[in-house]
Amino acid sequence: MSPSPTAIRKTVEAYLGRHPGERDALAGLLAALDRPVDLTARTTRPGHVTCSAVVIDRQGRVLHIRHRATGGHILTPGGHIEPGDRTLLAAALREVSEEAGIAPGALCLTRQLLGSPIDIDVHDIDANPSKGEPAHCHYDFRYVFYLAGEEPPTIVLQDAEVSGAQWLPQPEVTSPTLRAKLIAAGLDGRPEPVNASALIHNGAGRYLLHLRDHKPGVIWQSGAFALLGGGRTHDDQSLEGTLLRELSEEVPDLRLEDVKPYAVEAATSIDGLSVPVQVFTGRWGGNTDRLRLHEGVLVRWFTPDELDRLRLSPATRDLIRQHAAENPPDTGSAVAPAVWDGGSRTVLNGVGVHLHLEDAEGRVLLGLRHPESKYAGDTWHYLAGRCEQESALSCLVREAWEEAGLVIDPADVELAHVVHVVDAPGSLPLMQLVFRARRWEGTPEVRETDKCLDWQWWPRHELPDRLVSYTRTAITAISEGRAYSQLGWPPAARTAPPTVPTAAGTDDAQHDRSLGGDAS
């Protein structure tokens, strides 16, 4: 879908904020934006929007091509907007790809412009009787890109429209307005990071990752885990300032310690551009459940050996593992594991979380576990997981996304049943928490094929024969309104309340003292 009038106006107003003296020159464009017309259509009269790409190499030279349609004039690559162009910038990228064969991945944004047009040029176009086009004007939005690589890419010209190409020094750029703005901006063609992200660790071997919203074409790295951070703005004084601003917008309660540059990561934008990202390291050891999250689905701690389970950029995965290898866990900060106390009857209990979902027909969602699964292979079971260093609700939300692609808001969850299970004498007791979600987003899909083969909705009175026993117990108990059940434990013996023996002749005051009473 082509850029909307609102998006175009926003771009124009931001441009005029930097070039207020050009408002009169763009009065026709602003007036056209008030009319109910599609300014991106080439048939719109008396004028319409076009886009150009100003590509600068490492020597500061600007790519020019010879357009056949303009009688051989040497210009920067550019042309009309197509219906599939998501933004004006995307239209400029498509034009340079079509006319010069330079793919978006070979280009990157500049720190000075950050994806804003360097120039909006208004020029007249002569009538073309052979195409039935009257005289009109173009409002040309010009976007600057650097070459991401050291060497210029091979130019592959679009023969039907282009007859030649050359790199011109900036003082020789053919457009006077563009030439003046290029020289004033000091664009040297050398890429530098325009995004910043945070490699956040707790000093004990865990790393904080952010699950982004699943909005393809709108959000960068949509639906994937990523580092917190974002793109630089014109108001940011430094990349560290960019990072701190992004963190305050995404997770305002998070306060990093020992922030310092670590590495530059190569990423790819929604439009396919190369994006150098300055990665900072920072330390934080708080509870993710207490963070207010203003963007995305969740934030959670992971260890490096858990990363292969996540949808995560390979570059980010490698960066975390590199940092982990260079920075062994600080054992003084690590959480001590639970241990048996030889002088106490207190023992460790594991905690599992389970998702009880019912569709509109009252059917329950169950998954068929992989035959080679370590637990309950080839058997149906709730969507479930074992709590790690996290709250039960965080575990539930994470497992729902990782296993089935379901997005659940903790506010829509309630505890439906608890099953206290011991599989065999002497084995680890398990407190199995079953949560019911009243609402969710998404359709169940198999996302961890090594654990689950299929998701199906089952009527409660027609449950599969091969069903985990405590799952069957929980489903039955929930339908009956019971909150607790237990499996594998010996029957609880009924015991009398403790008594306090008294010797002959003991007076009432002594008896009161033995029970903790007040004998005064």
Side-chain angles (χ1 to χ4, degrees), residues 199-201 205-207 209 227 262 265 279 281 302-310 312-329:
L199 189 66
I200 302 172
H201 64 102
R206 289 180 177 267
Y207 293 83
L209 291 176
L227 303 180
Y262 178 64
E265 178 184 9
V279 180
T281 57
F302 291 94
T303 59
D305 58 3
E306 294 176 300
L307 301 182
D308 287 331
R309 300 168 50 197
L310 308 180
L312 180 68
S313 158
T316 302
R317 183 182 294 114
D318 292 344
L319 205 61
I320 292 174
R321 287 176 172 162
Q322 174 184 322
H323 184 271
E326 296 170 350
N327 299 269

Side-chain angles (χ1 to χ4, degrees), residues 324-497:
E326 296 170 350
N327 299 269
D330 179 358
T331 55
S333 301
V335 177
V339 296
W340 286 84
D341 181 352
S344 170
R345 296 183 63 187
T346 301
V347 298
L348 177 70
N349 278 241
V351 176
V353 299
H354 305 72
L355 180 62
H356 182 96
L357 284 189
E358 293 185 19
D359 65 7
E361 300 175 20
R363 298 178 301 174
V364 180
L365 181 67
L366 297 173
L368 179 60
R369 296 184 64 80
H370 193 283
E372 297 180 4
S373 175
K374 293 181 179 179
Y375 174 75
D378 199 28
T379 303
W380 294 88
H381 190 26
Y382 276 136
L383 188 158
R386 186 72 64 86
C387 267
E388 300 173 7
Q389 190 177 346
E390 60 189 333
S391 73
L393 278 182
S394 291
C395 180
L396 183 78
V397 170
R398 170 180 59 81
E399 291 288 352
W401 171 255
E402 292 177 359
E403 292 190 16
L406 301 177
V407 177
I408 295 177
D409 187 334
D412 294 327
V413 173
E414 62 185 4
L415 182 64
H417 192 71
V418 177
V419 188
H420 201 188
V421 179
V422 61
D423 291 327
S427 65
L428 175 72
L430 298 172
M431 194 69 72
Q432 308 289 25
L433 309 180
V434 183
F435 292 94
R436 186 205 309 264
R438 296 183 294 273
R439 286 178 291 274
W440 65 91
E441 295 180 12
T443 301
E445 57 178 300
V446 176
R447 294 169 62 92
E448 295 182 336
T449 55
D450 60 326
K451 296 181 180 180
C452 179
L453 301 180
D454 190 21
W455 295 107
Q456 288 188 25
W457 298 95
W458 292 83
R460 283 178 293 180
H461 60 282
E462 297 178 5
L463 298 175
D465 293 335
R466 299 192 314 277
L467 179 63
V468 170
S469 59
Y470 73 80
T471 301
R472 187 185 303 276
T473 297
I475 293 173
T476 301
I478 291 171
S479 66
E480 296 174 353
R482 291 186 286 112
Y484 174 81
S485 57
Q486 59 187 44
L487 292 176
W489 294 95
R494 183 180 180 86
T495 58

Side-chain angles (χ1 to χ4, degrees), residues 93-124:
L93 284 172
R94 177 185 49 75
E95 286 291 338
V96 75
S97 177
E98 290 176 354
E99 296 183 342
I102 301 177
L107 304 173
C108 61
L109 298 180
T110 72
R111 174 183 58 79
Q112 293 88 342
L113 279 304
L114 299 173
S116 301
I118 189 173
D119 186 37
I120 301 178
D121 182 60
V122 183
H123 56 269
D124 294 326

